[in-house]
Amino acid sequence: MKVYFVGAGPGDPELITVKGRRLLAQAGVVIYAGSLVNPALLAWAHPEAVCYDSSSLTLEEIVEIMEGGVRQGREVVRLHTGDPSLYGALQEQIEALKARGIPYEVVPGVSSFSAAAATLGREFTVPGGSQTLILTRRGGRTPVPPEEDLKTLGAHRASLCLFLSAHCLEEAAAELAHGYGRQAPAAVVYKASWPEEKVLWGTLEDIGIKARQACIDRTALLLVGDFLAGPYRRSCLYHPAFGHGYRKVEKSGG
Ligand code: SAH
């Protein structure tokens, strides 16, 4: 018996992995982050599974439920929103399980940053544009190292996706504008892949105000960078003049 940390995906229940869905259907105990995981996913849980919403639980209580489940011979699924490796408070759970000798496995998921790009129909790394994606958050009660503050990160002018900052988008946009400039393309995606999804397009100058006017203050990502609007070159990879191990260069006139 094991504890499976399963990425639930960004919201749309069909965006859980095949493996995640199978484990969910088999588990005797399911612990889900009720504040973000779509409850529709629980329809795939085993009818006799005991389900716990972790939003009102402490780490100690969560680990106790996990340990209890495994010791009683049940598989335990811990459903995390998006991908568990991002802002999931995953490490402390893994360490607690290791200390108790309880086996675990992490099953990745589709992160909300991928869902947001899909909604926008944009690629973070277009040829000729930024080849780097910064995933970050604005400092709050959870501190961010000073060298990662938004003014500093903005200096890279890389494609950027800001998590956990929907309540302070105007401040975040102003800080980012130090590096990107106020006219840099920006977008906000609220509840990507959910039925109530909303998309706002703008610049760093106006995106915060637009979000406030749309009453968006949670479950949203701010995306910034030229990838949203800027020019790009076609890829070398699929260019007829660019040969590689899987395709030879086309000879002109041949
Ligand atoms: N592990 C998750 C992130 C958890 S932190 C992932 O990989 O997506 C929670 C933050 O993620 C939210 O504050 C919001 O910024 C973002 N988020 C999660 N789901 C979202 C969604 N469907 N649409 C937009 N942002 C989302």
Side-chain angles (χ1 to χ4, degrees):
M1 295 297 126
K2 264 191 199 176
V3 174
Y4 295 92
F5 295 96
V6 174
D12 178 349
E14 289 193 328
L15 290 177
I16 192 172
T17 62
V18 174
K19 183 167 184 173
R21 181 177 165 174
R22 174 176 62 76
L23 292 168
L24 188 55
Q26 290 171 352
V29 176
V30 176
I31 309 168
Y32 64 101
S35 51
L36 278 164
V37 168
N38 190 341
L41 279 160
L42 298 180
W44 285 328
H46 192 282
E48 279 160 32
V50 190
C51 298
Y52 298 88
D53 178 353
S54 63
S55 49
S56 59
L57 301 174
T58 61
L59 171 65
E60 288 72 14
E61 289 166 333
I62 291 170
V63 174
E64 207 164 293
I65 294 168
M66 289 171 167
E67 182 166 22
V70 171
R71 304 262 182 251
Q72 287 165 21
R74 297 163 176 214
E75 305 281 18
V76 177
V77 161
R78 169 73 165 116
L79 264 186
H80 276 274
T81 178
D83 181 75
S85 72
L86 287 167
Y87 310 111
L90 177 66
Q91 209 62 54
E92 59 195 25
Q93 299 175 74
I94 289 178
E95 298 309 326
L97 293 181
K98 276 189 186 166
R100 288 169 175 74
I102 301 169
Y104 71 91
E105 184 178 330
V106 183
V107 180
V110 176
S111 177
S112 55
F113 79 83
S114 303
T119 289
L120 296 172
R122 304 301 300 193
E123 179 182 347
F124 288 115
T125 52
V126 284
S130 169
Q131 297 297 295
T132 303
L133 173 59
I134 296 176
L135 304 178
T136 190
R137 65 180 298 173
R138 189 165 181 267
R141 285 204 293 174
T142 303
V144 168
E147 55 276 17
E148 294 172 20
D149 74 70
L150 296 181
K151 288 182 189 172
T152 309
L153 291 182
H156 293 283
R157 299 185 55 94
S159 303
L160 180 140
C161 186
L162 193 70
F163 285 75
L164 290 162
S165 309
H167 59 285
C168 54
L169 287 176
E170 284 174 271
E171 294 90 336
E175 289 163 19
L176 288 165
H178 282 266
Y180 287 92
R182 289 150 63 94
Q183 294 312 312
V188 165
V189 183
Y190 167 76
K191 289 205 131 180
S193 86
W194 290 68
E196 57 268 45
E197 172 185 279
K198 280 186 209 163
V199 175
L200 304 173
W201 295 88
T203 61
L204 280 179
E205 184 160 37
D206 62 14
I207 197 73
I209 300 158
K210 285 181 176 173
R212 177 156 47 89
Q213 286 167 348
C215 300
I216 292 174
D217 62 359
R218 63 186 63 195
T219 330
L221 294 168
L222 171 66
L223 298 100
V224 184
D226 285 339
F227 77 97
L228 290 167
Y232 63 93
R233 292 187 296 125
R234 68 171 287 176
S235 70
C236 295
L237 187 60
Y238 294 107
H239 197 284
F242 185 83
H244 52 73
Y246 295 93
R247 199 188 61 233
K248 292 203 167 68
V249 175
E250 281 175 24
K251 299 238 168 58
S252 55

